[in-house]
Amino acid sequence: ADIEIPRRRPTIEQAVIEREAAAHSIARNLKPTTPTVELFLPEALSGAYFVGHLVTDLDSVGGAIGAAELYGGKAALASEVNSETAFALEEFGVTLPPKIEDVVEENPNAKICLVDHQQTTQMNHAINPDQVVGCIDHHALQNKTIVTDRPIYIDIRPWGSMSTIIAHTFLTHNRRPSISVAGMLLFAFL
């Protein structure tokens, strides 16, 4: 015949069993709630200069202007603007951002966020990689991608434009860009 060895419940198991009815009563009386989740806006980008790539285009300038408004920074130019970008700036009454060379000459410790690029071959020579605090881009990671000594904010999405990323971030954070910034972003992704 099989001998059954009686199982002794550990103290913790016995306590759970004794309180099971009370736990069910508490659970039944809980009110369903949806937790509030704060969306992330990186503090590192606050006060940064947002600058696009050399041979700048409307996406890099419009995106820099949009990112500056979104994150609380300022836009800067990596190079002269083309006629399309000049038209959009004039159409929406946006002041031409300063050149990044002038910015870093005046403030060599300025925080920089690269927009619409992450390759050093597309980066203005005045930018010190040690001052880069972020990168917002939609291009593939290829050769000559920036390398930093410390972690930086990265937002790279396989989308049609960098400006689309900025517009999406405005929307997901329930924020409305100014009319001039909305126009610049719209022109950039059209």
Side-chain angles (χ1 to χ4, degrees):
D2 290 331
I3 300 176
E4 233 180 271
I5 300 174
R7 180 177 175 274
R8 290 184 13 179
R9 289 193 168 111
T11 306
I12 190 75
E13 185 179 349
Q14 189 60 40
V16 168
I17 291 169
E18 290 170 4
R19 291 171 178 85
E20 181 178 13
H24 282 289
S25 174
I26 291 170
R28 277 190 299 276
N29 291 318
L30 288 176
K31 304 239 184 302
T33 61
T34 303
T36 302
V37 177
E38 299 258 342
L39 296 172
F40 178 69
L41 279 178
E43 184 61 34
L45 300 186
S46 178
Y49 283 88
F50 295 84
V51 61
H53 52 76
L54 293 170
V55 190
T56 194
D57 58 18
L58 187 50
D59 192 27
S60 67
V61 176
I65 290 168
E69 183 172 290
L70 177 65
Y71 295 108
K74 297 179 181 175
L77 297 174
S79 60
E80 297 298 322
V81 298
N82 60 23
S83 59
E84 178 184 57
T85 304
F87 173 80
L89 290 166
E90 185 177 328
E91 182 72 18
F92 293 104
V94 177
T95 304
L96 184 70
K99 295 179 180 176
I100 193 63
E101 297 95 321
D102 297 337
V103 169
V104 296
E105 184 177 315
E106 185 178 313
N107 183 1
N109 295 322
K111 298 187 302 184
I112 307 290
C113 181
L114 305 177
V115 298
D116 201 28
H117 76 292
Q118 33 46 39
Q119 294 178 314
T120 56
T121 54
Q122 297 180 338
M123 197 166 74
N124 184 293
H125 69 279
I127 298 172
N128 177 352
D130 292 336
Q131 298 308 118
V132 174
V133 296
C135 173
I136 304 169
D137 195 11
H138 68 111
H139 295 101
L141 297 172
Q142 297 178 351
N143 61 348
K144 305 289 186 182
T145 296
I146 188 169
V147 175
T148 61
D149 288 335
R150 66 186 186 301
I152 65 172
Y153 175 75
I154 300 284
D155 187 351
I156 299 177
R157 304 181 203 183
W159 291 8
S161 71
M162 180 269 164
S163 293
T164 306
I165 296 169
I166 296 302
H168 179 263
T169 306
F170 267 110
L171 293 173
T172 58
H173 284 77
N174 218 10
R175 294 181 56 193
R176 184 182 299 251
S178 64
I179 291 173
S180 58
V181 166
M184 292 295 295
L185 295 172
L186 178 64
F187 271 34
F189 50 75
L190 289 180

